[in-house]
Amino acid sequence: SAVISQKPSRDICQRGTSLTIQCQVDSQVTMMFWYRQQPGQSLTLIATANQGSEATYESGFVIDKFPISRPNLTFSTLTVSNMSPEDSSIYLCSVGRGTVPSTGNEQFFGPGTRLTVL
Amino acid sequence: GQQLNQSPQSMFIQEGEDVSMNCTSSSIFNTWLWYKQDPGEGPVLLIALYKAGELTSNGRLTAQFGITRKDSFLNISASIPSDVGIYFCAGRRSGGSNYKLTFGKGTLLTVNP
């Protein structure tokens, strides 16, 4: 499995501000994903971070609100823009190897970033 | 979007008891994954299943990929206090954007010592 770190681990932010979350992996990976986990809820995929091109967003998530960068195969950032209290969640980075699901192509998660918006 | 029905939503058991939880879907999946999430942590992968009918163990944990490819279960034998946490199933569909995972709503497990 890959070792995944996220920064910050938690933050408390004011409404209207933006926060950029970093995800660093200890090895090159093909697939990187960003998930949101609202309090007491399951995981919802925000977008797939594509290296060298624009991220692919899921229904209900847009680039203006959640801009994503992926400059190389080991690093990605997610920005939560113009935050409101409804954005209070855990944001999780996930990685997977390979472009086609196969044995061994599991997804692994980082420790998460706990965001509280006041 | 695609939904996974995970049950039970929560369980309260005594240490030493066995636990069973399951996920069902109306669609076919080609991969089933089971994760555990401790408070304040990200989900940790427990077991991955890739073939219909596959039965895989990881210590006291056993998971099976249903024959119909629409369900999976996870069993925990002889539970211990550190088994406490939220267990999520996740499925990957066949075809299309087949790298994406769909998650169940989770099963909260409490183990009384």
Side-chain angles (χ1 to χ4, degrees):
Chain A
S1 65
V3 176
I4 306 165
S5 60
Q6 287 186 233
K7 289 182 181 179
S9 59
R10 61 179 64 241
D11 208 341
I12 300 174
C13 301
Q14 295 297 319
R15 181 195 300 261
T17 63
S18 297
L19 176 71
T20 295
I21 302 168
Q22 299 179 2
C23 178
Q24 179 74 54
V25 191
D26 69 339
S27 59
Q28 293 186 342
V29 293
T30 306
M31 312 295 289
M32 293 183 79
F33 309 93
W34 287 98
Y35 286 81
R36 181 174 72 183
Q37 186 177 26
Q38 294 177 304
Q41 301 296 315
S42 187
L43 286 78
T44 301
L45 180 63
I46 297 172
T48 302
N50 302 310
Q51 193 263 332
S53 64
E54 196 171 279
T56 304
Y57 289 84
E58 297 301 303
S59 176
F61 298 97
V62 295
I63 188 171
D64 290 346
K65 176 66 175 178
F66 297 103
I68 288 171
S69 78
R70 187 164 177 205
N72 56 51
L73 293 177
T74 64
F75 185 79
S76 178
T77 67
L78 168 75
T79 299
V80 186
S81 303
N82 188 24
M83 289 183 284
S84 66
E86 291 71 33
D87 294 319
S88 297
S89 290
I90 300 172
Y91 291 87
L92 293 152
C93 172
S94 173
V95 305
R97 291 187 174 86
T99 56
V100 177
S102 62
T103 300
N105 188 27
E106 301 90 354
Q107 278 190 28
F108 301 95
F109 286 85
T113 296
R114 280 139 195 85
L115 172 61
T116 301
V117 184
L118 303 177
Chain B
Q2 178 61 41
Q3 296 293 321
L4 286 184
N5 299 309
Q6 184 171 351
S7 64
Q9 185 175 4
S10 62
M11 302 183 72
F12 298 85
I13 63 171
Q14 294 297 125
E15 182 176 0
E17 291 183 353
D18 297 343
V19 172
S20 184
M21 60 191 78
N22 70 83
C23 273
T24 60
S25 171
S26 58
S27 298
I28 290 175
F29 284 81
N30 62 15
T31 302
W32 285 97
L33 306 173
W34 285 92
Y35 291 87
K36 182 192 178 198
Q37 186 174 30
D38 291 330
E41 303 290 333
V44 174
L45 181 65
L46 299 174
I47 292 179
L49 303 161
Y50 295 95
K51 295 180 182 179
E54 179 180 356
L55 185 71
T56 297
S57 293
N58 177 7
R60 293 178 295 105
L61 278 62
T62 301
Q64 184 159 30
F65 193 140
I67 291 291
T68 64
R69 298 171 65 191
K70 295 182 179 181
D71 63 329
S72 177
F73 73 75
L74 174 71
N75 286 343
I76 305 173
S77 63
S79 59
I80 59 178
S82 62
D83 290 333
V84 166
I86 303 175
Y87 292 79
F88 290 100
C89 64
R92 180 181 285 126
R93 290 172 58 193
S94 301
S97 301
N98 54 8
Y99 53 82
K100 295 186 203 176
L101 293 180
T102 301
F103 282 81
K105 293 182 181 291
T107 295
L108 173 61
L109 177 64
T110 302
V111 179
N112 296 317

